[in-house]
Amino acid sequence: MKIRSIFIISLSFLLIYCKKKPEIGVITEKAMVVSARKEASKIGSDILKKGGNAFDAMVATELALAVAYPYAGNLGGGGFMVYRKNDGEIGALDYREKAPLASHKDMYLDSLGNVVEGKSVLGAMAVGVPGTVAGVFETHKKFGSLPIEEILQPVIDLANRGVIVTKKQEKRIREYQPKFLKANKDSILFDKLWKENDTIKYPALAETLTRIQKKGRDEFYKGETAKKLAEFIQNNGGIITEEDLAKYEAKWRTPIVFEYDDLRIISMSPPSSGGVCLAQIMNTIESYDLDQYGHNSVKSIQVITEAERRAYADRSHFLGDPDFVNIPLDTLISKQYSNRRMSDFSFEKPTSSEDISHGNIEMVESDETTHYSIVDQFGNAVSVTTTLNGAYGSKLYCSELGFFLNNEMDDFSSKPGVPNMFGLIGAEANKIEPEKRMLSSMTPTIVEKNGKLYMVVGTPGGSTIITSVLQTILNVHEYKMGMQEAVNQPRFHHQWLPDVIKMEPNGFSPKVKNKLKELGYELDETNSPVIGKVDAILVLPNGKLEGGADHRGDDTAVGF
Ligand code: GLY
């Protein structure tokens, strides 16, 4: 063999050997919880180990996140759960916040009709009536198997023992401290310069949770906690009353269900736009050969972007709280409608968002947020996304009760045509009305394959939630990746307006970016250091579970 040939063969071996192997996530035999903090995943997993089911673990994980992840975990916010039981029964729970009784459509406008900057985002006026405590108790009432006292005890212990500050948390707290000062009259726990490896203890939150443990759901909505909460919000200039809290109810909803190739996808229905938009986008792209085009190739990005553009244009026009607005759901999630919407697409150039409006349907009439996925040892699955909306919500912290309050009112359209904090343009369907739930993008999702549980997936990220869930499913299904590998991939996002493709920096090849620009797409790599923070579980062919815990955060998979 010539020296040259030996050199080429050796180099080939070296290249094959050096090609980074895709990362495999945590693998477990039977059960798993993947969430934004190890402490919460462990508490959820321990509940499963004790014989609890996925719904018991939901209660434990949700409340443990309220302790360990105050950035988005909460008692003062709300969320959505999609579930699939081991017998195939599916359902969804809406514990979204709602507008207070005293709210009205112009509450964030000045006398000239202009939006008052910050009013729907910072402080007590931004707060919607919280739904989380109602959500966990409703879940437990219907499906729980362990006593609630037993489920809450490790969460209370965690609050008393305290939680170690991570590097990422240190950075986040520091970043938001100026806003904590603005939103709160008195100093709060998070004003201190917390450093990595410090332990933050939460005695006030432990006391609140202990009262809830003893007295149940109504302690939060009708008891001492309700009284203190309403008084605190009003003392800070807000409008939530004891009556608002007393009237709050979580609601069971019918999830959005649709098919994509051989997958059956079960996702959240309105008042979240998540499932509807996901269905619209997936229906639109189903007939294109994404696997042939290649992962994050120009053609794949084009097709997905154009489908997203059209779905988000519809989102703004048609979607709102189904108890208040008539949504043409069947049409929106039909394949015929999505195909019709794509009829003007060409690979030669982008469609301009100016030329795209909502479809004509005959009407018969932050990165902030957090997601966790659970599969239990019995085969039940829950997918839950919960939020305060912005990072630390309204930044208003009730020191006496030990938690932050949401700024979910910003998810309403304060004024048609004016973008919210995620740049989403709202319309009449999502205007503020007393007791109405604000439109969400949260997309807790469960995927079946051949009639069996296949994947549990979801993410935070405001308007980018839907497109991050989409890309994670496609990475597994179209591009044959494992769960952790799928979660690790760089992501992009388009939401109709602004007419740009947001991309995670350094994740896309210069060749692909140049070609997209040449075609006329505007790219933005500067405003989104990360897009989404996906926590997911994949059922492997041998029945084991692979966790996908997003390294963009401190997210961790724990199970057995
Ligand atoms: N607050 C984020 C969402 O509900 O989409």
Side-chain angles (χ1 to χ4, degrees), residues 26 31-49 57-58 60-65 68-69 158 370-375 535 537 548-549 554-560:
V26 170
M32 186 179 282
V33 180
V34 192
S35 84
R37 284 288 303 227
K38 187 171 168 190
E39 294 82 351
S41 299
K42 173 141 180 18
I43 283 180
S45 172
D46 286 350
I47 288 291
L48 297 177
K49 247 192 208 155
M58 177 270 184
T61 309
E62 175 93 23
L63 297 178
L65 284 167
Y69 194 58
L158 178 69
T370 189
H371 176 86
Y372 54 95
S373 294
I374 302 177
V375 175
D535 283 341
I537 301 172
D554 295 315
D555 305 44
T556 312
V558 179
F560 54 91

Side-chain angles (χ1 to χ4, degrees), residues 75 204-213 225 400-403:
L75 291 193
L205 182 53
E207 267 183 43
T208 302
L209 287 165
T210 305
R211 282 198 306 277
I212 293 171
Q213 182 193 37
T225 305
E400 191 179 1
L401 299 174
F403 56 86

